[in-house]
Amino acid sequence: MFNKPFRFSRKSSKDLQAGSQRTQSQSPSPSSSTSTLAVPTQDNSRASTPVFPRSSPDSHARRVSDHTRRNSEIDPSPLGLNVIYAPKNGQKVDVVFIHGLGGTSRRTWSKNEDPELFWPLKFLPLEVDVSLSRIFTFGYDANFRTAGSIGTSVLDFAKDLLFDLKYAKDEQMDDLNIGNAYIQGQNDPKYESIIKAISAITFLATPHRGTNLAELLNRILRSTFITSSKQYISELARNSFTLQKLNEQFRHIAPRLDIVSFYENQPTSIGLKSARVMILEKDSSVLGYPGETSRALNADHHNVCKYDGPNDPNYITVRNALVSLISKIILTDGSDKSRLLNRRDSQDLKSLLAMTELPDTDYIFFRDQWAPGTNDWFLEEKVYLEWLRVRDSTSSILWLHGGAATGKSVLSSSIINSLVEQGISCQYFFIRFGDQRKRTSSLLLRSIAYQIARSVPDFLQRVLRLADEGIDFETADPRTVWERLFKSVLFHLKKVQPLYWIIDGFDEADDPRAIIRLFSDLPSSSTPIRILLVGRNTPDIAAIFQKLPKMLNARAKNIEGHVEDLCCYIHQELNMYGSPQFKEGIVRRIIGDAQNNFLVSAVEHSILCQAVLTHQWVRLAVDKLNLSHTQADVELALQQLPVGMEAFYGRMASSIAQNPSVTDRALASTVLQYATCSLRVLTVAELSQALHAEASRIMDFQRSLVDLSGGFVVIDNSGNVSMIHQTAREYLLRSNDRPFHVERDAAHKQLFLDCMQCLTTTGLRAKIKVNQKPEFLDYAANSWCFHLKATPPNCKEVDETLSKFLTGHWVLTWIQVLATNGQLRVLIRASKHLSKYSARWKEEAVAQDDIATQKLIGSWAEDFVKIVGKFSTVLRQNPESIYKLVPPFCPGNSAIYQQFGKMKDKSLTVSGLSMENWEDSFARISFGFGTYASSISAAGAQIAFLISSGSVVLHDSSIFEEAPASPIKHGERVYRMELNNTGTLLVTYGYSTTKIWDTSTGKCKMSVKNIESRPRPLAMLLTNENTTLIVGTDDRRIRSLDLSHTAPTWQLLAELEEPELEGHFLNSSNHMALSKDGRLIAVAYRGHPLSAWEIEGPMHIGHCWRKREEIARGEVIEAVWHPHYPEVLGLYIEGVVFKWRPYDDDIDEIATGASKLAISRDGSLFATGDVRGTVKVYTASEFCLLYQLASEDAVVGLVFSPDLNRFYDTRGYSGNAWEPSALMRFAEQRGKSTGSRSESESLTQSFTISKSRSQRIDSITVLAGSPIGRLYCCGTEKGAVRLHDRERGQLTDLYMSKSFLSIEQMSWSDDGRYICFSDVSKKIIIMSITPDTGKLDPLVETKATGS
């Protein structure tokens, strides 16, 4: 349905002539606001429904009569989009009817082809609600009996519909496959207004997953002399790649729509006497999306969209659905438009939260396993209903655990579907053991946040604003994700309906305890959050679950012992002969044997394993019993069933090993290699392309996958190929005696080679350019390095393949693919895996060729991580820049420069680069002669330096240019500055005033006079969404300003009455640190221990005492609070770093010799700087040294970048940006962790200390080129003047200032014979330069000096 203002454009005269056969009717008013509902039919049609203001039955009856007479002479099967009914007073909703294969725009909807039974015109307008809609039909040539149009595809029909929707004179809406048209419109900006208007789609027996009869129909057509097979028929084959791709795309945008799916339940006559077949099974007619409404119609495939009259039960069912959808659109139209995500917001949200896959893939997988009637018992459980129907605004947690034969993931999918059908805001996540990404807390939280943002507009807008903070959520630790997205945003939203989170497979997460600890914060949320955890019971989870706050109302429910679902399945599927009593006895026996057989499996593995195996065993038992004809056959079948997990899997493995076909066994082996060792679940399309040689000979590849793999793999309705369970993977990967097993090393080798084959495909770059990239490309680009790491050493084929890839242009195409997909961080993972692979080469390499290959691998490993750091912005904007623009700017000794940067046919030449190897120095900022920066701050896209003159200099953190608003001049001496989280606001605290600045414009937003006593600020913090400024001063007082007022005044929050300790001298505080939430403060004194306070009260927490007896008093010169925990990180004057937990009075120390201290935004790292210019980076959890930099000049200020990939420092007269590879690798690894402290500690074990040395840089201050020839000169900060040639590089030093005075001005004479320059002391020098005609240096002579 279309729910936004929508108008039709007129076609050209040429277009109108082409459509002259279509019905002409009154054009809609340009100001009409319409919504559209699409309805597909049994032959693949769909329709869109407009809704209008209500009118009286009499008036619309007269309109129907008039309109019927006007349409009596119309072409019975018009093509294109045609208005068949329009209310006189305008409309708010449009309904479009779209027929299917072999149908027409009229006959499809008419019983017995009777015009009086054309129900969209004859019946619907008589309904009071529907009569407010404008009704269309869309016709296209889908007659498979006629010749021609062999290459016509579903996509062609979709494009025709979209064209008519946009350009037809007065009759436009949808097509053969409304999902396809909707998707095509999503990808084409010119149809954006149409797509935004679609609100709902109703499907009538639409083959979302195709039909097995499509290929049969094409064979019949090929056997006749009338016509040939049709492409669009092939595309409707069961689970065809076209339909799988369509469903994959459609599921990403389906949540925006109300979807109703009707399916047939009667077989259809095929004209051969009494022969009848089911054209479409239910699983093909139903999408299985959350919230989708599906209903059966008592009709066959032909009559599912044809009705006898207004009293036909099937018509009433369809009519009621349309009325419900139309009524919903009328009620929400104009009031709920903000809920729709526009394309830009959706893309920005996905990019910010690094969402590459939606959770509905897993939902659909488990929902496909659901059988009607199952799981209903749980929806009536008292504990569930109490969790569901909590009336107050509190949050709560319900934990479902256990049990034998429960099918918990299928149960989760049923709960999700039930919640969505009730209109409840539901978010969900399935933790999958076989997919490492889906076991991380970070992805779980980001996925939940993404789903909330799609349904809560206020949350969406606030989350999008977080992009300004520069946080890399993909690599951020889970605690940071929780703090920034949930505690700082969601918890503060008002008037939000309760949110329901379903988290399945909770016990399979990397660290379930850490997730539960995060959920302990839920009582502080203004938004009610109800969480349902589903997973097995473990002692660790049970222990931490008991510690949840009582006000959270956490409850657990054991669901063991429920066999209702198995009984329901057996009763539905068991078709054997015998009396009801006999059958019931067999059912009880199957249930009992299933539970007893797999009891040991549950103990050895998991309850979930038992459930999966039990269901598989029951299916096997039912299949065998259905083939039995006597009681003896029944007894034999039951006795031959495998007992226990090993026997069950052994039976499956034997079926593969005993296959007489060598090629079939080889294919099964390859398929299972992918299923057991791939980094993620692959689709049938991806697997088919990866196994092109094997798959090309298979007639039905998807069916063969299941048949040949012995039942170890399953394929869901979205075409995803996965193992039946993790235990099946473990069984196949064991190397002991098995009928059939998978060798792990061989599997990873095969997957690596297949990935390389895809990435080195001939013409790959050209295919990408025309958007025809291979299906397997995304997996290959993301995963080849993972499989390389797991391949066995000393494999010549692997080494040669890798060397071919790294020395050819394919490596650049791979980087282009990653840049296009926004996945440049894969380069960092590749760097890490290549480094490990290179280390193995060092142990094995002997031959000269081996040494050269090892050097090549090591060089690219370094290049990959540096390319991300230095060129990621450029590559994201222009992925093709990797070919000719990036390589020339890389160091001369880098692999990318050696292979692609100095090629003769390059279009770009870069000369004068001084570095031959990659350096950690990313940028250097000079403040000018005599300008000294005393402190540094970084937030969002801003780097701020506080200058001694009382100004603040701002630089952009991406290009390091000085901001247009810089410098910000306070007008007096400034003691301290503070940026907000996004870098959009700056606070400067001066001698007499405190000012708030807009960093984008440089304008002062507010100026407030300071306290008359002129206390010096020691700590400042912007909090409460930048509405409150908290300042701690040296008089031991904490004050605040309410920035929401136009003229705020200082308010005293707390006065810290510090008790003087015996043997210590209490004086004015010399340092303070505020926690991120503004609730805690640490205060340091010169002759007194560090003290920690709660500001509210205030309440003293404790003193920090030295860990060991020291003669020194322990003066603290720096201190910061951990962002997430009540923990202080500080620095003593003698260079000892300490970590103090004041509530536990626990302390750790490490000697660093530092004078400056900074902590990363997530608290995982801290950095120290000293007077010798050394910077060290440590892990905050274990004080492990991660990186060390040696440079010149004392470190005056130090700060991390928000994304953790860089740190910045100021060394007085200059600032620096450093980007060590060690930081990026740590951030990448950190993003995969759970966020627990134990996990953080284990991270450091995989890293070795990285050391770097940086030489002092003599910055260029002035540059001038000769008006003739190739010469140019530059002057430097230290007073050097150098002469360069564009082709030969530096020729000579013209001048060197003995006092190291900066060169400020420079100019050439018009004839290029003289160069004039001056230094900061105003000394002027003129020199003559006579170019040499050969390759000798030019002649240089000083002509004059003066001042």
Side-chain angles (χ1 to χ4, degrees):
M1 291 197 176
F2 291 85
N3 60 3
K4 295 217 174 187
F6 181 77
R7 68 179 63 178
F8 298 111
S9 304
R10 293 186 178 274
K11 286 185 178 180
S12 66
S13 58
K14 181 177 180 181
D15 295 328
L16 293 176
Q17 290 172 3
S20 59
Q21 62 177 328
R22 302 179 183 175
T23 304
Q24 304 298 312
S25 59
Q26 182 178 356
S27 297
S29 168
S31 61
S32 63
S33 175
T34 62
S35 296
T36 302
L37 163 69
V39 188
T41 68
Q42 103 282 356
D43 43 55
N44 271 358
S45 56
R46 314 169 185 206
S48 304
T49 311
V51 182
F52 316 90
R54 294 179 176 270
S55 58
S56 67
D58 292 339
S59 63
H60 83 72
R62 286 193 297 271
R63 288 201 306 274
V64 172
S65 177
D66 294 341
H67 199 88
T68 302
R69 286 193 298 271
R70 288 199 303 269
N71 283 276
S72 61
E73 299 178 1
I74 293 177
D75 180 354
S77 300
L79 298 179
L81 197 62
N82 297 272
V83 177
I84 62 172
Y85 170 78
K88 289 184 177 180
N89 296 327
Q91 77 289 339
K92 289 185 178 179
V93 179
D94 289 315
V95 184
V96 180
F97 286 81
I98 306 157
H99 65 84
L101 182 62
T104 72
S105 60
R106 295 258 171 169
R107 289 196 300 269
T108 290
W109 313 99
S110 304
K111 184 82 169 184
N112 301 322
E113 299 188 10
D114 185 350
E116 295 303 314
L117 297 180
F118 179 44
W119 62 274
L121 174 62
K122 300 294 184 176
F123 304 167
L124 274 184
L126 298 177
E127 309 292 342
V128 175
D129 289 325
V130 182
S131 67
L132 306 176
S133 306
R134 181 172 53 176
I135 302 177
F136 299 79
T137 61
F138 177 75
Y140 57 94
D141 185 6
N143 188 352
F144 55 82
R145 300 177 182 85
T146 60
S149 303
I150 295 176
T152 302
S153 67
V154 172
L155 176 60
D156 296 322
F157 297 138
K159 290 180 176 178
D160 288 344
L161 171 61
L162 285 170
F163 182 86
D164 274 2
L165 286 172
K166 185 172 181 65
Y167 297 112
K169 182 176 180 180
D170 51 12
E171 59 235 34
Q172 340 315 330
M173 274 320 122
D174 249 318
D175 100 306
L176 163 72
N177 193 319
I178 189 66
N180 200 352
Y182 188 62
I183 292 168
Q184 295 307 315
Q186 290 280 339
N187 297 328
D188 195 333
K190 67 176 176 282
Y191 298 124
E192 184 172 4
S193 61
I194 298 172
I195 297 305
K196 283 184 178 180
I198 297 179
S199 297
I201 301 178
T202 301
F203 295 103
L204 290 171
T206 304
H208 302 298
R209 298 176 182 88
T211 171
N212 293 323
L213 300 178
E215 179 58 27
L216 175 62
L217 176 57
N218 257 338
R219 291 179 184 175
I220 294 173
L221 293 178
R222 286 196 296 267
S223 67
T224 66
F225 296 101
I226 301 174
T227 185
S228 304
S229 61
K230 306 293 177 112
Q231 179 179 337
Y232 56 80
I233 296 178
S234 300
E235 292 172 337
L236 296 179
R238 181 72 173 179
N239 288 313
S240 72
F241 291 163
T242 298
L243 289 177
Q244 288 177 9
K245 186 174 182 179
L246 173 62
N247 289 332
E248 171 67 18
Q249 294 172 322
F250 188 60
R251 71 181 179 83
H252 289 277
I253 47 186
R256 312 173 195 175
L257 306 171
D258 288 316
I259 297 177
V260 179
S261 297
F262 293 102
Y263 56 92
E264 63 208 60
N265 66 359
Q266 298 295 328
T268 301
S269 172
I270 58 175
L272 300 175
K273 296 184 179 180
S274 60
R276 303 177 70 87
V277 297
M278 287 295 295
I279 303 296
L280 285 181
E281 300 291 343
K282 176 187 174 183
D283 65 340
S284 184
S285 300
V286 176
L287 288 163
Y289 296 158
E292 174 191 11
T293 301
S294 60
R295 295 288 184 272
L297 294 177
N298 188 26
D300 60 21
H301 193 66
H302 290 317
N303 293 306
V304 76
C305 59
K306 301 178 179 69
Y307 312 120
D308 294 324
N311 296 321
D312 187 317
N314 287 335
Y315 169 75
I316 293 173
T317 301
V318 175
R319 178 205 63 190
N320 290 343
L322 295 178
V323 169
S324 175
L325 294 173
I326 291 171
S327 300
K328 181 177 180 180
I329 291 176
I330 293 176
L331 292 174
T332 59
D333 190 35
S335 62
D336 240 4
K337 293 180 181 178
S338 61
R339 293 183 57 189
L340 296 177
L341 268 176
N342 61 48
R343 181 184 299 136
R344 178 64 180 272
D345 283 350
S346 179
Q347 291 174 347
D348 290 347
L349 183 64
K350 282 186 177 180
S351 176
L352 177 65
L353 300 182
M355 293 301 301
T356 57
E357 182 179 340
L358 301 182
D360 55 357
T361 301
D362 298 314
Y363 165 82
I364 294 171
F365 174 80
F366 290 111
R367 190 60 180 165
D368 286 343
Q369 300 178 33
W370 173 80
T374 59
N375 301 146
D376 292 344
W377 61 271
F378 179 77
L379 300 180
E380 300 300 325
E381 285 282 331
K382 179 180 178 182
V383 67
Y384 170 73
L385 294 176
E386 290 175 348
W387 170 82
L388 177 65
R389 298 171 182 172
V390 176
R391 296 188 180 277
D392 56 25
S393 58
T394 60
S395 298
S396 62
I397 295 181
L398 174 60
W399 174 29
L400 303 182
H401 60 79
T406 56
K408 292 184 289 298
S409 295
V410 178
L411 175 62
S412 295
S413 71
S414 295
I415 295 172
I416 294 167
N417 191 71
S418 174
L419 292 174
V420 176
E421 283 187 340
Q422 297 176 60
I424 293 174
S425 181
C426 170
Q427 295 78 42
Y428 54 91
F429 191 83
F430 289 82
I431 298 173
R432 303 292 294 272
F433 185 88
D435 192 333
Q436 181 60 38
R437 298 172 307 160
K438 295 181 180 178
R439 298 179 62 193
T440 62
S441 307
S442 175
L443 181 59
L444 184 156
L445 295 175
R446 287 185 280 121
S447 178
I448 294 292
Y450 177 82
Q451 296 173 69
I452 297 173
R454 291 175 63 93
S455 59
V456 182
D458 193 13
F459 181 70
L460 167 66
Q461 296 307 317
R462 296 190 184 207
V463 168
L464 291 177
R465 287 200 291 268
L466 292 179
D468 295 332
E469 295 189 14
I471 301 174
D472 187 345
F473 282 103
E474 183 177 10
T475 61
D477 69 288
R479 186 79 209 187
T480 298
V481 177
W482 178 254
E483 291 283 341
R484 296 305 301 133
L485 294 177
F486 295 92
K487 289 188 68 176
S488 299
V489 180
L490 181 65
F491 282 19
H492 297 286
L493 295 182
K494 306 295 183 182
K495 299 180 180 178
V496 176
Q497 294 297 317
L499 303 176
Y500 291 79
W501 300 354
I502 313 299
I503 302 176
D504 181 77
F506 181 68
D507 56 296
E508 303 287 0
D510 281 339
D511 192 346
R513 296 175 302 170
I515 301 175
I516 292 180
R517 280 192 289 267
L518 295 179
F519 292 161
S520 298
D521 298 328
L522 289 176
S524 63
S525 173
S526 299
T527 301
I529 299 173
R530 284 69 188 267
I531 300 178
L532 183 69
L533 304 176
V534 183
R536 64 189 179 97
N537 192 349
T538 67
D540 290 343
I541 297 179
I544 195 69
F545 193 80
Q546 295 297 323
K547 297 180 181 180
L548 286 170
K550 291 184 178 179
M551 58 191 308
L552 194 53
N553 193 25
R555 287 176 289 178
K557 170 67 176 176
N558 189 332
I559 54 176
E560 291 184 12
H562 288 276
V563 295
E564 293 92 333
D565 295 340
L566 274 181
C567 290
C568 180
Y569 171 80
I570 296 173
H571 280 111
Q572 288 179 3
E573 300 297 326
L574 190 62
N575 297 319
M576 57 178 288
Y577 300 100
S579 65
Q581 295 81 4
F582 177 74
K583 289 183 179 180
E584 191 62 34
I586 293 298
V587 171
R588 289 196 298 268
R589 184 172 175 182
I590 293 174
I591 295 295
D593 289 349
Q595 292 179 294
N596 294 331
N597 285 345
F598 293 100
L599 181 60
V600 176
S601 297
V603 175
E604 293 179 348
H605 298 278
S606 70
I607 297 298
L608 177 61
C609 167
Q610 179 185 1
V612 171
L613 293 175
T614 300
H615 281 81
Q616 293 289 334
W617 189 90
V618 168
R619 287 189 178 94
L620 177 63
V622 170
D623 290 343
K624 282 189 165 294
L625 290 172
N626 284 339
L627 298 176
S628 302
H629 298 279
T630 66
Q631 291 189 10
D633 293 339
V634 171
E635 188 64 31
L636 182 62
L638 291 174
Q639 292 177 1
Q640 290 180 343
L641 290 172
V643 179
M645 183 192 72
E646 288 292 323
F648 186 67
Y649 285 154
R651 183 189 184 100
M652 296 160 64
S654 296
S655 68
I656 301 174
Q658 295 170 6
N659 191 319
S661 171
V662 176
T663 55
D664 286 351
R665 289 201 305 273
L667 178 59
S669 177
T670 306
V671 169
L672 290 174
Q673 284 178 335
Y674 271 88
T676 55
C677 296
S678 60
L679 195 57
R680 64 165 173 81
V681 171
L682 295 172
T683 65
V684 173
E686 290 175 321
L687 197 55
S688 173
Q689 199 165 73
L691 309 178
H692 177 71
E694 295 90 338
S696 60
R697 65 180 180 82
I698 304 294
M699 291 184 295
D700 189 341
F701 182 68
Q702 178 162 322
R703 179 179 177 181
S704 298
L705 286 182
V706 178
D707 293 345
L708 297 179
S709 63
F712 279 106
V713 301
V714 292
I715 302 175
D716 65 17
N717 283 334
S718 294
N720 298 303
V721 184
S722 60
M723 297 294 296
I724 58 171
H725 190 257
Q726 173 63 16
T727 54
R729 176 183 285 105
E730 294 170 355
Y731 173 90
L732 290 175
L733 290 175
R734 293 179 202 160
S735 58
N736 52 355
D737 294 336
R738 305 280 179 187
F740 175 86
H741 72 279
V742 174
E743 294 183 6
R744 192 186 302 267
D745 288 349
H748 283 294
K749 173 187 172 182
Q750 185 62 51
L751 266 66
F752 167 74
L753 294 176
D754 289 342
C755 288
M756 285 290 103
Q757 182 178 9
C758 179
L759 292 172
T760 56
T761 301
T762 302
L764 178 60
R765 182 181 175 186
K767 292 179 181 178
I768 296 172
K769 193 169 185 178
V770 296
N771 198 28
Q772 294 180 355
K773 64 180 183 180
E775 294 286 344
F776 189 59
L777 180 60
D778 286 344
Y779 181 85
N782 280 274
S783 308
W784 69 264
C785 54
F786 167 78
H787 297 298
L788 173 67
K789 180 193 67 172
T791 56
N794 299 324
C795 179
K796 187 174 182 180
E797 184 180 9
V798 170
D799 300 337
E800 290 178 348
T801 301
L802 179 61
S803 180
K804 172 187 174 183
F805 173 69
L806 294 178
T807 54
H809 65 275
W810 299 290
V811 66
L812 300 185
T813 305
W814 169 59
I815 296 175
Q816 179 195 356
V817 171
L818 296 178
T820 302
N821 295 340
Q823 297 173 332
L824 284 173
R825 283 204 163 270
V826 174
L827 287 170
I828 301 176
R829 294 202 294 270
S831 172
K832 182 181 70 173
H833 294 323
L834 279 180
S835 296
K836 291 182 178 180
Y837 190 76
S838 178
R840 287 159 52 186
W841 266 88
K842 291 181 180 179
E843 300 175 0
E844 305 291 339
V846 178
Q848 192 66 31
D849 290 344
D850 291 342
I851 296 175
T853 304
Q854 185 268 330
K855 183 178 179 181
L856 172 71
I857 295 172
S859 181
W860 272 111
E862 184 177 13
D863 286 3
F864 288 156
V865 70
K866 291 298 184 181
I867 287 171
V868 176
K870 296 186 182 295
F871 303 106
S872 59
T873 302
V874 174
L875 287 170
R876 281 194 293 267
Q877 295 173 350
N878 179 19
E880 289 199 345
S881 63
I882 189 62
Y883 294 104
K884 294 185 178 181
L885 298 181
V886 170
F889 285 96
C890 297
N893 291 334
S894 64
I896 188 172
Y897 180 85
Q898 289 291 322
Q899 294 175 212
F900 307 106
K902 59 179 184 179
M903 297 170 61
K904 293 182 180 180
D905 60 345
K906 63 187 178 182
S907 59
L908 178 66
T909 301
V910 180
S911 61
L913 289 177
S914 59
M915 60 178 184
E916 291 297 321
N917 299 295
W918 293 107
E919 296 181 358
D920 291 340
S921 175
F922 193 78
R924 186 173 185 271
I925 300 171
S926 179
F927 308 127
F929 182 78
T931 303
Y932 187 89
S934 58
S935 67
I936 182 174
S937 181
Q942 302 286 354
I943 308 173
F945 298 91
L946 179 58
I947 305 301
S948 56
S949 63
S951 301
V952 176
V953 177
L954 299 174
H955 283 259
D956 187 294
S957 62
S958 58
I959 58 177
F960 297 96
E961 289 184 354
E962 189 168 354
S966 177
I968 291 178
K969 298 180 179 180
H970 186 97
E972 61 184 358
R973 182 178 181 183
V974 175
Y975 293 116
R976 198 171 190 88
M977 67 173 179
E978 182 77 13
L979 286 167
N980 68 339
N981 286 335
T982 60
T984 55
L985 291 180
L986 171 71
V987 180
T988 55
Y989 191 109
Y991 175 74
S992 60
T993 59
T994 297
K995 296 182 178 181
I996 316 296
W997 306 84
D998 185 332
T999 57
S1000 63
T1001 63
K1003 293 182 179 180
C1004 181
K1005 297 169 64 73
M1006 185 178 298
S1007 179
V1008 181
K1009 288 186 177 181
N1010 293 336
I1011 302 298
E1012 293 183 1
S1013 59
R1014 301 288 191 267
R1016 294 189 61 178
L1018 301 179
M1020 293 199 303
L1021 176 70
L1022 281 165
T1023 186
N1024 294 334
E1025 297 185 348
N1026 302 323
T1027 60
T1028 303
L1029 173 65
I1030 302 176
V1031 179
T1033 53
D1034 61 359
D1035 60 356
R1036 300 202 296 272
R1037 289 179 173 85
I1038 297 99
R1039 299 177 177 87
S1040 69
L1041 282 177
D1042 188 344
L1043 304 183
S1044 62
H1045 293 169
T1046 56
T1049 57
W1050 291 102
Q1051 302 296 318
L1052 183 64
L1053 287 182
E1055 184 173 357
L1056 309 178
E1057 298 179 357
E1058 184 76 51
E1060 186 170 346
L1061 300 175
E1062 184 179 352
H1064 296 271
F1065 176 70
L1066 182 64
N1067 52 12
S1068 297
S1069 53
N1070 69 310
H1071 187 84
M1072 287 183 171
L1074 285 161
S1075 64
K1076 287 297 182 182
D1077 58 7
R1079 297 179 180 179
L1080 302 175
I1081 190 167
V1083 187
Y1085 309 89
R1086 288 183 176 85
H1088 205 267
L1090 181 75
S1091 186
W1093 294 77
E1094 290 182 2
I1095 294 178
E1096 186 177 352
M1099 187 184 79
H1100 186 259
I1101 303 173
H1103 290 101
C1104 178
W1105 299 98
R1106 294 301 299 267
K1107 189 174 182 179
R1108 54 188 180 276
E1109 293 295 330
E1110 297 281 353
I1111 298 176
R1113 293 181 178 177
E1115 179 181 342
V1116 175
I1117 58 173
E1118 294 268 7
V1120 290
W1121 285 92
H1122 192 284
H1124 307 318
Y1125 310 112
E1127 177 179 281
V1128 178
L1129 193 69
L1131 177 64
Y1132 290 115
I1133 193 171
E1134 64 267 29
V1136 173
V1137 173
F1138 67 90
K1139 180 170 56 179
W1140 176 46
R1141 290 171 285 279
Y1143 286 102
D1144 302 328
D1145 201 21
D1146 191 14
I1147 189 169
D1148 295 315
E1149 294 181 358
I1150 181 174
T1152 64
S1155 58
K1156 291 296 174 182
L1157 176 70
I1159 192 169
S1160 63
R1161 186 162 186 168
D1162 66 351
S1164 61
L1165 299 175
F1166 70 89
T1168 64
D1170 61 31
V1171 295
R1172 297 176 297 277
T1174 302
V1175 176
K1176 298 178 182 178
V1177 179
Y1178 296 84
T1179 60
S1181 57
E1182 285 190 317
F1183 285 174
C1184 290
L1185 182 61
L1186 186 68
Y1187 172 77
Q1188 180 172 316
L1189 167 72
S1191 187
E1192 299 181 14
D1193 297 328
V1195 178
V1196 178
L1198 191 63
V1199 65
F1200 281 93
S1201 66
D1203 62 4
L1204 197 63
N1205 290 332
R1206 303 173 187 163
F1207 62 84
Y1208 310 115
D1209 68 35
T1210 176
R1211 299 177 184 246
Y1213 298 103
S1214 64
N1216 298 280
W1218 307 94
E1219 191 170 61
S1221 301
L1223 282 191
M1224 286 190 284
R1225 287 172 178 154
F1226 182 86
E1228 176 66 24
Q1229 187 70 17
R1230 180 68 173 166
K1232 298 178 181 179
S1233 71
T1234 62
S1236 66
R1237 291 200 171 194
S1238 59
E1239 181 76 11
S1240 300
E1241 293 165 3
S1242 66
L1243 283 178
T1244 60
Q1245 299 176 2
S1246 61
F1247 291 94
T1248 56
I1249 300 174
S1250 177
K1251 296 184 179 181
S1252 177
R1253 177 172 295 274
S1254 178
Q1255 300 298 323
R1256 186 167 186 169
I1257 299 173
D1258 188 13
S1259 300
I1260 294 175
T1261 55
V1262 63
L1263 182 69
S1266 171
I1268 60 173
R1270 306 191 308 265
L1271 301 179
Y1272 65 93
C1273 279
C1274 67
T1276 71
E1277 191 176 40
K1278 292 184 178 180
V1281 177
R1282 299 185 177 98
L1283 181 65
H1284 293 258
D1285 183 287
R1286 289 203 305 268
E1287 293 183 0
R1288 297 168 58 193
Q1290 182 177 338
L1291 300 179
T1292 185
D1293 289 334
L1294 298 181
Y1295 173 80
M1296 177 62 71
S1297 172
K1298 294 180 180 180
S1299 302
F1300 302 104
L1301 299 178
S1302 173
I1303 305 299
E1304 297 295 320
Q1305 302 290 333
M1306 180 177 291
S1307 180
W1308 287 80
S1309 63
D1310 292 339
D1311 58 5
R1313 295 175 58 192
Y1314 298 95
I1315 180 77
C1316 177
F1317 53 88
S1318 65
D1319 60 23
V1320 72
S1321 69
K1322 310 303 181 185
K1323 181 178 181 179
I1324 300 174
I1325 300 173
I1326 300 175
M1327 306 184 76
S1328 67
I1329 299 178
T1330 306
D1332 188 84
T1333 54
K1335 292 188 178 181
L1336 299 176
D1337 292 344
L1339 300 177
V1340 178
E1341 182 180 358
T1342 302
K1343 291 296 184 181
T1345 60
S1347 58

